[in-house]
Amino acid sequence: MNRVFSWLSDRLKLPPILHHLLDEAIPGGASWIYVFGSVTLFLFLMQAATGAFLALYYAPTPDHAYESVKFIQEEVPFGAFVRGMHHWGASAMMVAIGLHMLQVFLYGAYKPPREPMWIVGVFLLILTLTFGFTGYLLPWDQKAYWATQVGINLVGSVPWIGGILARILRGGAELGALTLSRFYSIHTLFLPWLIMFLIAGHLFILRRVGAAGPWDKARAKSVSEPFYPRQVFMDAVAMGGVFLALVALVTLFPAPLSDPADPTDTTFRPVPEWYYLFYYQLLKYSEGPWEPVVTFVLPVLFFTILFAIPFLGRKRERAPARRPIAIGAGALFLVFVFSLLGLAMKETASLKRTDPGVERGRAIYAKLACAGCHRIHGQGAQVGPDLSFVGDVRNRDWLIAHFKDPQAVVPGSFMPPVRLSAPELEDLTKYMLSLKKGPA
Amino acid sequence: MSEMTRRSFFGKTIAAIMGLIGLGLGIPLFGYAVLPTLRKREEPWSEVGPLNLVEINRPKEMDVVRSLSSGWMKTNTVRSIWAYKRPDGAVVAFSPICTHLGCGYRWSEGDQKFLCPCHNSVFDLDGRVLAGPAPRPLDALPTKVEGDRLFVLYQEFKAGLSKKEEI
């Protein structure tokens, strides 16, 4: 290995390049607080790799998108792993970007001469959010369809140009085949190229102006340390930790896939991905004249402020203690966002609170292969009655009696009696009763 | 620790972590891309129907539903075969395509022969060429019986050749 390396290094004259890449000076020395940028880059590369592999089996048409994702999730070896890593990797990237921005903000690292890096960074944030929004639609399940419907209609509420913007996004008047192929192309062709150029720009600026280091100028000047080995080591440890955490997450919580998209099912209540939740919550409070404020004025204001941050304070002062307004405003913003997120999560949790018996019943339903005869939301055979909304028409006593002896309750039925213990029968019944139209 | 051993500790740990991530991602991605391509093709036996519909020495055109699956895509196409039972009970099935140029031929009850209307090729009950330009006998298809159901391994062969060559 070493021999091959020195052979290659000799011919390609690598030492000066390696020196340039690895010996970049870090003012104030290496620190764990600087790892978030590298972690974000790592996660982006992982999204690129897993995404390319997902595209091997994915079909971006309403007829086949859901089936192809189900195929990846259930039939392709490691398919659930690859899709899970891509799904949770997206969330992890949001967290990493958030922490990265927080660190840069706290350290005043966006101040001169690093304003261009901050501006490119805000564009990178916008691109990442667009990745999230366009990728969300691709599985073409209920969640995807309805969340995108809502997202595009939000754009549609922008004054004057909203209607046209929504049409351009949707690829027409209705959410359908053209929307899906459009989002797929944006997600897998347009955005990756754009983001790669911007990442290159972000790193180029970093190398031209140098890392910011600590806000204490005396400390920054007194200690300096090359990027390699300690900072690279810390970055690598952080990446390894994030990778293992993602593997654990994927193993414990597989990427979700709900029922196939059904434009006629208006009972479905879409909830966006967590990183849009705070905004979703804010929308609940905006009524009448306030609506355009929330759907248009606030987002525009937010990104304008974000872009303007490096030019707002005149002083080059970086110590947080001497930037009370900036730090106070930042803290206020965080409190605001996290309160909304907390409220949203509380409301969603209370909305979805289900008896654990329902889940056990669902497992029993699967184990007994009830879907061999019955259909629930398009899944299963149509030999026996469709059970999608059985909770609306039957009660507990009827169901229990029927499970025990179907023919006694429905003469002529050819359903075999369900032989289960009393508690299992109770769970299966709870699951049946949970199948209702509208919010349960 | 001396400076050199510190450097080599960092270097080795970094390499180990990169190796872990590389393998942890590389092996699943490789398996994901390659393993499905190595799967054995399913035996595409198609069900024809109840065996008692097939008559002795009286060929009948019967529908076959071919189920093909390519990944997530499942397609059903309807094709037909000519099938009859020999007196000993063995089932004979022919591809419905004339071996000359691919027209559909018919069984003529009066002549007790298979006649192709396009270029007048004529075949006997065993599929042998009796007259006309057909270069080879009718293409027999493998059959099997499970319980009282008849299955056929539906295949199509190139027309116009003296040898059977699957399409």
Side-chain angles (χ1 to χ4, degrees):
Chain A
M1 193 67 189
N2 273 335
R3 272 226 203 119
V4 176
F5 179 75
S6 51
W7 180 83
L8 207 63
S9 157
D10 200 34
R11 275 149 191 82
L12 302 182
K13 300 183 183 66
L14 293 181
I17 294 180
L18 286 177
H19 170 74
H20 184 76
L21 284 178
L22 298 175
D23 293 343
E24 160 86 353
I26 299 176
S31 167
W32 289 102
I33 197 116
Y34 302 147
V35 300
F36 302 121
S38 304
V39 168
T40 307
L41 180 61
F42 162 66
L43 286 168
F44 166 73
L45 293 174
M46 209 179 72
Q47 292 302 94
T50 48
F53 277 83
L54 285 175
L56 283 181
Y57 301 115
Y58 176 73
T61 72
D63 286 352
H64 301 308
Y66 181 82
E67 281 305 313
S68 65
V69 174
K70 206 171 157 68
F71 175 71
I72 292 172
Q73 186 71 23
E74 291 171 6
E75 289 182 48
V76 180
F78 299 109
F81 176 79
V82 177
R83 178 163 174 260
M85 288 302 266
H86 198 72
H87 174 85
W88 289 113
S91 281
M93 205 168 151
M94 288 299 165
V95 175
I97 290 175
L99 293 172
H100 182 49
M101 290 180 78
L102 218 58
Q103 185 265 320
V104 169
F105 186 78
L106 189 70
Y107 275 58
Y110 56 83
K111 297 214 166 194
R114 295 182 186 80
E115 313 96 307
M117 195 149 66
W118 174 268
I119 290 169
V120 173
V122 176
F123 276 117
L124 283 168
L125 169 70
I126 295 173
L127 287 186
T128 311
L129 287 169
T130 317
F131 262 117
F133 182 62
T134 48
Y136 206 66
L137 177 68
L138 303 184
W140 202 251
D141 60 354
Q142 283 284 70
K143 243 176 121 174
Y145 181 90
W146 291 102
T148 306
Q149 184 78 284
V150 173
I152 292 183
N153 286 336
L154 271 181
V155 175
S157 71
V158 169
W160 306 108
I161 51 166
I164 290 177
L165 278 183
R167 266 176 177 268
I168 293 173
L169 259 179
R170 228 188 264 120
E174 271 176 55
L175 186 55
L178 295 181
T179 324
L180 186 54
S181 55
R182 188 163 273 249
F183 273 38
Y184 179 67
S185 151
I186 292 171
H187 189 79
T188 61
L189 296 167
F190 289 85
L191 289 178
W193 282 106
L194 259 172
I195 204 170
M196 276 192 280
F197 277 113
L198 286 189
I199 289 172
H202 202 60
L203 294 176
F204 176 77
I205 300 169
L206 169 68
R207 296 312 300 267
R208 296 308 297 164
V209 300
W215 59 72
D216 182 351
K217 273 185 196 146
R219 232 191 91 212
K221 278 204 180 121
S222 66
V223 193
S224 179
E225 173 180 5
F227 182 52
Y228 185 86
R230 278 185 63 227
Q231 188 63 58
V232 177
F233 168 78
M234 290 171 180
D235 287 357
V237 170
M239 290 176 198
V242 168
F243 180 74
L244 291 180
L246 280 175
V247 171
L249 206 56
V250 171
T251 318
L252 293 174
F253 307 100
L257 186 63
S258 57
D259 289 339
D262 179 2
T264 60
D265 179 5
T266 49
T267 62
F268 190 79
R269 293 180 66 159
V271 176
E273 202 56 358
W274 65 267
Y275 43 84
Y276 286 114
L277 258 185
F278 75 97
Y279 183 63
Y280 167 79
Q281 187 68 15
L282 193 57
L283 284 168
K284 289 189 195 164
Y285 305 130
S286 56
E287 287 167 22
W290 285 101
E291 183 140 55
V293 173
V294 173
T295 61
F296 175 65
V297 179
L298 275 188
V300 169
L301 199 66
F302 173 72
F303 282 104
T304 311
I305 292 176
L306 216 49
F307 277 117
I309 277 177
F311 309 103
L312 288 179
R314 269 172 299 156
K315 284 179 285 181
R316 291 202 170 200
E317 185 55 65
R318 287 178 47 205
R322 298 206 195 113
R323 296 158 49 219
I325 299 176
I327 298 294
L332 212 62
F333 174 73
L334 285 184
V335 168
F336 177 65
V337 165
F338 278 98
S339 310
L340 283 174
L341 182 63
L343 279 173
M345 284 169 77
K346 208 174 134 202
E347 281 182 25
T348 341
S350 67
L351 190 82
K352 279 191 192 154
R353 196 185 303 140
T354 45
D355 188 329
V358 171
E359 277 313 306
R360 289 197 296 271
R362 192 196 303 272
I364 294 170
Y365 183 87
K367 200 177 79 191
L368 297 182
C370 306
C373 293
H374 294 284
R375 175 168 284 231
I376 294 176
H377 298 311
Q379 302 284 319
Q382 287 171 294
V383 179
D386 188 309
L387 302 176
S388 302
F389 305 110
V390 69
D392 289 327
V393 288
R394 305 289 185 206
N395 59 36
R396 177 190 163 275
D397 294 343
W398 188 96
L399 284 165
I400 300 253
H402 179 257
F403 282 141
K404 284 183 179 160
D405 187 356
Q407 285 69 33
V409 182
V410 181
S413 162
F414 53 85
M415 171 162 156
V418 181
R419 289 184 214 290
L420 291 173
S421 66
E424 283 178 311
L425 213 50
E426 207 64 54
D427 287 341
L428 186 60
T429 305
K430 277 181 188 159
Y431 173 51
M432 290 295 112
L433 290 173
S434 75
L435 299 169
K436 283 176 187 257
K437 259 187 194 133
Chain B
M1 260 196 300
S2 76
E3 181 57 24
M4 268 334 280
T5 55
R6 264 170 62 85
R7 260 186 101 85
S8 87
F9 161 75
F10 284 129
K12 279 185 180 138
T13 315
I14 293 165
I17 294 172
M18 291 305 146
L20 172 87
I21 295 175
L23 288 178
L25 214 51
I27 293 172
L29 288 181
F30 179 82
Y32 171 92
V34 173
L35 290 181
T37 64
L38 306 178
R39 269 188 199 159
K40 227 180 112 194
R41 217 171 115 198
E42 286 166 43
E43 281 272 285
W45 286 99
S46 312
E47 188 173 335
V48 183
L51 188 60
N52 57 25
L53 288 182
V54 187
E55 294 174 38
I56 292 174
N57 283 349
R58 238 183 112 186
K60 262 200 333 201
E61 193 168 18
M62 303 177 85
D63 284 345
V64 199
V65 178
R66 269 179 109 196
S67 300
L68 292 177
S69 76
S70 165
W72 39 265
M73 182 109 149
K74 315 257 186 293
T75 42
N76 288 328
T77 49
V78 180
R79 291 283 185 275
S80 67
I81 58 161
W82 285 92
Y84 69 93
K85 237 186 272 178
R86 272 200 251 267
D88 65 3
V91 178
V92 177
F94 290 122
S95 157
I97 291 165
C98 175
T99 55
H100 174 220
L101 287 176
C103 290
Y105 57 82
R106 306 213 59 80
W107 172 253
S108 160
E109 194 57 41
D111 300 321
Q112 289 290 302
K113 281 168 193 149
F114 289 108
L115 308 174
C116 180
C118 291
H119 308 95
N120 300 328
S121 290
V122 182
F123 308 86
D124 70 4
L125 193 59
D126 293 321
R128 282 183 295 250
V129 184
L130 296 177
R136 64 167 192 264
L138 290 176
D139 299 316
L141 300 174
T143 58
K144 69 171 182 184
V145 176
E146 268 176 24
D148 60 346
R149 324 282 303 169
L150 173 65
F151 291 81
V152 66
L153 200 59
Y154 187 87
Q155 290 160 296
E156 285 181 8
F157 302 90
K158 284 185 190 160
L161 305 174
S162 56
K163 272 191 153 179
K164 250 169 122 172
E165 198 179 304
E166 207 183 330
I167 295 176

